[in-house]
Structures are given as structure tokens and as C-alpha cells.
Amino acid sequence: MVTKAIGEVCGECGGRTYVIERRGDRAHARVCTCSARCELCEGRGYAYEVREESFSAKVGPKRYEVLVPCVCQRRAKRLEHFNEVGLPGVMAHASFEGYRAFNEAQDRARNLAMHFAHHYDKAGVNKGFILSGPVGTGKTHLLAATLKHLVLEVGLEARYVEISLLYATIRRGFQEGKSGGEIIGPLSEVEVLAIDEMGKGRGSQFEMETLDELIARRYNAARTTLFATNYSLEPERRGTRAAAPSGYRSTEDTKSAAREMELLRERVGERIYSRLCEMCNFVEFPKETTPDQRRMRQELEPRPGPPPGGMRSGR
Ligand SMILES: Nc1ncnc2c1ncn2[C@@H]1O[C@H](COP(=O)(O)OP(=O)(O)O)[C@@H](O)[C@H]1O
Ligand SMILES: [Mg+2]
Ligand SMILES: [Zn+2]
Ligand SMILES: [Zn+2]
């Protein structure tokens, strides 16, 4: 049990009352030790709230106390929801504050994600976003920071899925004889869904049709979906290209052309792509000027062996 002086901010959670850590391959949230015993309700879970109301003009306004769930109960629910999001363990630390922009596009992406998270309108329609760029540029990082804020600070329910896991779920459902609709039911209804690595892998026809149905359902219900992809969004920048296929049932020829072009539109097909355009704001990181953080960190880490400048054995 950690004790702290009144007014002192907890060093473990920075006053947020919860901490997020890596537990196995998942990011896991728990109540901070500083808040294990709620000081507001002393562990009862309920608190009194003073209300004022006029029941009759003669008597005038009257004050009375009602029992309401304490904030610690609300926090417990949000932590529970966070642990159902499915964020990867490596994203436990991901935050907006910890995101560095190396160019204008990354700056725009961070601002877009932050604005989206901080101004989310629970009662209204919220346009999502799609981040496109090379590996290691923080796309998953920004998705994770956004979902964290939405679930823990706004109180939404959200899910994160990597596309190959989504395909695996669809495949399993298919083998169990479920319909596409049954398989994607929970994902089509969750308030905010983030689909990572969009365009990766080669989904079977059933997998692609089910993905199509998932996007269509969320689109029709005006639910918010976020995406990240390594594939490019803008064909016009890439000069001449083969005619776009009309759907995901493209021939082998157009498929190999698409692989060469690395266009998301050609990876997911026209139907899904046009819905994404309506559902989302786009940001694309330029390939040439956006550094891969995974590689940069490796290069910065001190290695055992001769000091920098000295001879290095080839490896
Ligand atoms: N611009 C950035 N600022 C801070 N950390 C970053 C940035 N880009 C990447 N990272 C970190 O590098 C690692 C890889 O980033 P990730 O979000 O997985 O990249 P991507 O999804 O674009 O391939 C993560 O640990 C992430 O937190
Ligand atoms: Mg990623
Ligand atoms: Zn704390
Ligand atoms: Zn309490």
C-alpha cells in the first residue's frame, strides 16, 4: 500500500488512478495502488449526492441526499471495458504525449487522432480516420492512444483487431457453420472499432465478403471505425496505373498489378474503399521522410562490443 501526502501526485499513475501495463501479449489496465481503497466512499461503492428540487411553490426548493454509484465504480467498469479492447501488449505505453511527429503528415495525424478522441460526441455521428504509411511510423501507436482515451476517459466500448486475426475469426466461424452476420455481430455493434493492417494478407472470398459486410453494417449504422494500413491511399501520386478493378473478385492479373501499386483501393476493392472514404478522414505519411521508429531505436540502443567509431565485426 502506497501512502502519499495530501496534494501530492502519485508517481505511479500521475494522478489518473489507473495504470496500463503489458500482461502477456495484451495491454492490461488496473486500478493504481494509490487508489486501491476509495477515499470517497471508503470502499462502499456508493456516495451521497446532494440534490436540490422544488416539489411545491409553497415550500420552495428543498435539499436532499441521494445514493449514487461512486466514481470508483465507474472507473472499475471502464477498466473492465479496456481489458476487452484487445490492444497488443506492446501498446501499453502508447499515448498522444509520447508521439513524436517527424513531418507535417505525422503532426496532422496526431492532431486528427487527438481531436477525434477529445471531442468525441457520444450522441452524434463521429467521422473516423485512416492512417496510411510505412511500418514503424506509429500508426498502431495512434490507434492505441485513441482507444485508450475513448474507453478510459470518455467511457466508450471499443475493439481493436488486426486484420489477420479478424480473418482468422471469420474462418473459425465459417468452419463452425456460422453465417457472416453471426461471426461479425459483436464487431459490427461496438461503438468504436479499430481495424489495423487493413489490406494485408489475401482474404478468401468468404473472408472478404464478411469484411465487406462488417464495413457495410458499421457504415449503415453510422458507427465510427478507425483504420491503419501500410498501403497507399492516393493513386494520382503514383503516375499511370492499370485500370481499377470493379470489386474484390479481381483476377490474378489485377491482383498482381495491385501488389505492385500498393494501393489500398486495389487491396480491399472498390466497394469497401468507397465506404472508407465516406467514413473517414485520411492521413498518409510520405514514404521518403517518415522514419521507422522500430529501426531507429535499435540503432540508438548501445550494443555490447567496440565503442562507436571503433571496428565492428560484420553482422
Ligand atoms: N512517431 C512516433 N513517436 C513515438 N513513438 C513511435 C512513433 N512511431 C513509432 N513509435 C513507436 O515505435 C514502435 C512501432 O510503432 P507502431 O505504432 O507499431 O508502428 P506502425 O503501426 O506504423 O508500424 C512502437 O513502440 C511505437 O510506440
Ligand atoms: Mg502497426
Ligand atoms: Zn497512483
Ligand atoms: Zn468510491
Side-chain angles (χ1 to χ4, degrees):
M1 177 84 194
V2 180
T3 48
K4 59 183 168 65
I6 289 168
E8 193 187 319
V9 175
C10 170
E12 198 183 353
C13 68
R16 282 196 308 267
T17 73
Y18 58 82
V19 282
I20 302 171
E21 55 201 6
R22 187 176 179 162
R23 197 173 281 190
D25 57 358
R26 289 285 186 89
H28 181 93
R30 61 164 174 85
V31 177
C32 183
T33 43
C34 73
S35 307
R37 187 163 191 276
C38 180
E39 286 166 11
L40 292 171
C41 67
E42 289 169 332
R44 283 191 307 270
Y46 286 88
Y48 289 100
E49 197 176 88
V50 179
R51 300 229 172 120
E52 197 177 275
E53 218 170 313
S54 292
F55 294 105
S56 81
K58 221 155 126 198
V59 182
K62 267 204 142 185
R63 284 172 153 243
Y64 60 99
E65 287 186 328
V66 286
L67 263 184
V68 292
C70 180
V71 285
C72 65
Q73 298 297 101
R74 193 182 70 180
R75 182 185 56 215
K77 194 113 244 119
R78 289 180 178 186
L79 293 178
E80 221 172 88
H81 285 154
F82 180 84
N83 294 332
E84 284 162 11
V85 172
L87 277 178
V90 288
M91 287 296 142
H93 70 284
S95 68
F96 293 125
E97 298 74 41
Y99 187 82
R100 260 185 79 194
F102 293 90
N103 54 36
E104 188 271 333
Q106 280 186 314
D107 190 48
R108 204 151 23 94
R110 184 187 49 201
N111 289 341
L112 179 65
M114 266 176 81
H115 188 273
F116 170 84
H118 289 275
H119 295 89
Y120 192 91
D121 177 7
K122 275 181 164 180
V125 173
N126 298 271
K127 196 165 187 172
F129 58 81
I130 171 162
L131 307 176
S132 155
V135 292
T137 55
K139 302 181 300 296
T140 303
H141 181 120
L142 285 178
L143 288 182
T146 305
L147 296 185
K148 262 184 204 174
H149 184 88
L150 291 180
V151 175
L152 293 168
E153 302 296 335
V154 183
L156 296 186
E157 287 187 45
R159 289 285 180 287
Y160 166 92
V161 279
E162 207 254 303
I163 196 84
S164 49
L165 277 178
L166 178 59
Y167 285 151
T169 308
I170 296 172
R171 221 174 304 134
R172 207 177 323 117
F174 182 63
Q175 280 154 7
E176 288 165 6
K178 289 184 187 162
S179 71
E182 271 178 276
I183 298 166
I184 47 132
L187 289 181
S188 32
E189 272 152 38
V190 70
E191 286 174 287
V192 176
L193 174 68
I195 304 181
D196 205 352
E197 303 282 1
M198 192 69 173
K200 194 172 110 179
R202 201 185 325 167
S204 69
Q205 184 167 321
F206 183 76
E207 284 159 8
M208 286 305 271
E209 277 170 1
T210 309
L211 176 65
D212 186 299
E213 183 168 346
L214 173 61
I215 307 284
R217 282 191 183 201
R218 296 194 62 85
Y219 172 87
N220 291 334
R223 293 208 175 90
T224 311
T225 315
L226 312 174
F227 301 91
T229 182
N230 292 329
Y231 291 91
S232 188
L233 303 167
E234 295 168 48
E236 57 274 16
R237 279 213 198 139
R238 322 205 137 239
T240 53
R241 60 190 190 88
S246 55
Y248 48 79
R249 264 161 282 197
S250 50
T251 64
E252 272 314 307
D253 275 351
T254 49
K255 267 188 192 160
S256 66
R259 228 168 286 138
E260 222 172 274
M261 310 305 289
E262 297 184 306
L263 283 180
L264 183 64
R265 158 184 259 134
E266 297 177 353
R267 296 292 304 173
V268 298
E270 209 57 55
R271 268 162 60 96
I272 291 180
Y273 189 77
S274 77
R275 289 210 177 100
L276 299 192
C277 293
E278 270 191 61
M279 296 163 92
C280 292
N281 291 306
F282 284 27
V283 180
E284 180 155 0
F285 302 157
K287 274 203 172 54
E288 302 75 23
T289 57
T290 316
D292 177 347
Q293 288 303 296
R294 256 172 289 202
R295 222 165 55 198
M296 279 204 9
R297 213 174 297 150
Q298 257 168 28
E299 280 159 15
L300 287 172
E301 263 165 28
R303 291 182 215 182
M311 289 282 287
R312 241 181 221 161
S313 59
R315 55 170 204 150

